[in-house]
């Protein structure tokens, strides 16, 4: 079946340290990937995206790496802060038919930043 | 704030009832997507509309239906509600292209008793 999976359901990191969240996807034809952050009681919030013609993309304190050979994504968060505590989802933008697409989400990783 | 609005924020109803969830997309976005988030199924795609027309269906039950109006807002109708329909329902919007980011609203939490 379709799946975008995460290797670790929970991750605890000391404040100020770097964190890495991993994700595996199954559809080798997918060409666009997004990381979302979801805080309790809120909707998924866009963090960073990457297209399949790239291996790496950097934002403010975040970096996404894409390895198409092994169908793997990772999200790196540098110098973590308490506000980074949330559930992080990777999502694969999968085309259904011409002009239609859907996001296939992983199960999510709960990141906890310890003071 | 993503610019996507959803109402109501919370909804409590009984089995067998019908409810309507409303979504207003970001200004300029033509595509609206509905997703369901439950503890056992995670975030699941339900349906996509583009400029008033249905574009794609996902894991949407026959008891559920949606539409997008000329002003681009969308409604998701859930009928003959069952306990298992209790979940968070999110609307997302995008410009409409194949690699356009979907921005999510705050969601509607539905509780069926």
């Amino acid at each position: 079946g379709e799946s975008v999976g995460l290797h670790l359901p929970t991750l605890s990191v000391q404040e100020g340290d770097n964190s890495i969240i991993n994700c595996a996807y199954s559809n080798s034809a997918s060409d666009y990937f997004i990381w979302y952050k979801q805080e309790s009681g809120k909707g998924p919030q866009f963090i960073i995206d990457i297209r399949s013609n790239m291996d790496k993309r950097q934002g403010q304190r975040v970096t996404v790496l894409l390895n198409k050979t092994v169908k793997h994504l990772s999200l790196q968060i540098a110098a973590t802060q308490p506000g980074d505590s949330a559930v992080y989802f990777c999502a694969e933008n999968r085309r259904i038919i011409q002009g239609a697409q859907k996001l296939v989400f992983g199960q999510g990783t709960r990141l906890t930043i310890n003071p | 704030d993503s610019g996507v609005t959803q109402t109501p924020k919370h909804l409590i109803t009984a089995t067998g009832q019908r409810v309507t969830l409303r979504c207003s997309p970001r200004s300029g976005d033509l595509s609206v997507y509905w997703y369901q988030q439950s503890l056992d199924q995670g975030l699941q795609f339900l349906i996509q509309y583009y400029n008033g027309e249905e574009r794609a269906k996902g894991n949407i039950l026959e008891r559920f239906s949606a539409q997008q109006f000329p002003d681009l807002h969308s409604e998701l109708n859930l009928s003959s509600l069952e306990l298992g329909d209790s979940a968070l329902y999110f609307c997302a919007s995008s410009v409409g292209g194949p690699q356009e980011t979907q921005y999510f609203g705050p969601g509607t939490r539905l509780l069926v008793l």
Side-chain angles (χ1 to χ4, degrees):
Chain A
E2 57 190 28
S3 67
V4 179
L6 289 167
H7 296 170
L8 294 173
T10 61
L11 179 64
S12 290
V13 177
Q14 288 299 119
E15 183 178 352
D17 287 351
N18 300 333
S19 68
I20 299 176
I21 300 172
N22 295 302
C23 175
Y25 64 94
S26 60
N27 191 325
S28 56
S30 293
D31 57 6
Y32 180 52
F33 304 88
I34 311 106
W35 281 98
Y36 288 93
K37 171 186 180 183
Q38 187 175 24
E39 296 174 278
S40 181
K42 297 185 178 181
Q45 174 190 349
F46 171 83
I47 302 173
I48 192 168
D49 59 0
I50 188 167
R51 289 169 172 73
S52 59
N53 60 353
M54 303 172 71
D55 297 323
K56 179 179 179 179
R57 190 159 190 229
Q58 287 183 290
Q60 189 174 13
R61 288 199 305 115
V62 294
T63 300
V64 55
L65 300 178
L66 174 62
N67 186 329
K68 295 180 289 293
T69 302
V70 295
K71 292 185 285 187
H72 183 268
L73 277 167
S74 68
L75 176 70
Q76 300 176 5
I77 304 175
T80 53
Q81 303 168 358
D84 294 330
S85 293
V87 176
Y88 290 81
F89 292 95
C90 64
E92 171 189 357
N93 189 60
R94 193 173 293 180
R95 299 193 195 195
I96 304 170
I97 57 174
Q98 182 67 28
Q101 54 275 328
K102 65 178 180 180
L103 291 176
V104 177
F105 283 86
Q107 65 184 67
T109 292
R110 181 173 298 280
L111 176 65
T112 301
I113 307 303
N114 301 311
Chain B
D1 185 359
S2 66
V4 179
T5 61
Q6 289 187 249
T7 57
K9 190 170 176 64
H10 301 280
L11 202 47
I12 301 175
T13 189
T15 55
Q17 295 298 304
R18 172 189 169 94
V19 297
T20 298
L21 283 52
R22 183 188 168 100
C23 167
S24 291
R26 295 186 320 156
S27 177
D29 284 358
L30 299 178
S31 264
V32 168
Y33 309 79
W34 287 97
Y35 292 84
Q36 179 192 59
Q37 186 176 35
S38 60
L39 286 175
D40 57 344
Q41 293 291 324
L43 270 158
Q44 298 281 324
F45 168 74
L46 295 178
I47 196 164
Q48 177 198 359
Y49 277 82
Y50 176 81
N51 203 20
E53 294 186 1
E54 181 185 303
R55 276 291 173 91
K57 275 187 174 181
N59 301 321
I60 188 166
L61 300 171
E62 286 191 9
R63 301 182 285 108
F64 296 0
S65 65
Q67 53 185 329
Q68 186 180 26
F69 295 87
D71 66 353
L72 301 178
H73 90 272
S74 178
E75 292 180 356
L76 179 67
N77 301 296
L78 315 177
S79 61
S80 302
L81 285 167
E82 302 175 1
L83 297 178
D85 298 326
S86 296
L88 277 163
Y89 291 85
F90 290 105
C91 166
S93 75
S94 73
V95 173
Q99 288 186 340
E100 295 293 335
T101 303
Q102 294 182 32
Y103 293 92
F104 283 76
T108 294
R109 183 177 294 276
L110 174 66
L111 180 60
V112 182
L113 300 174

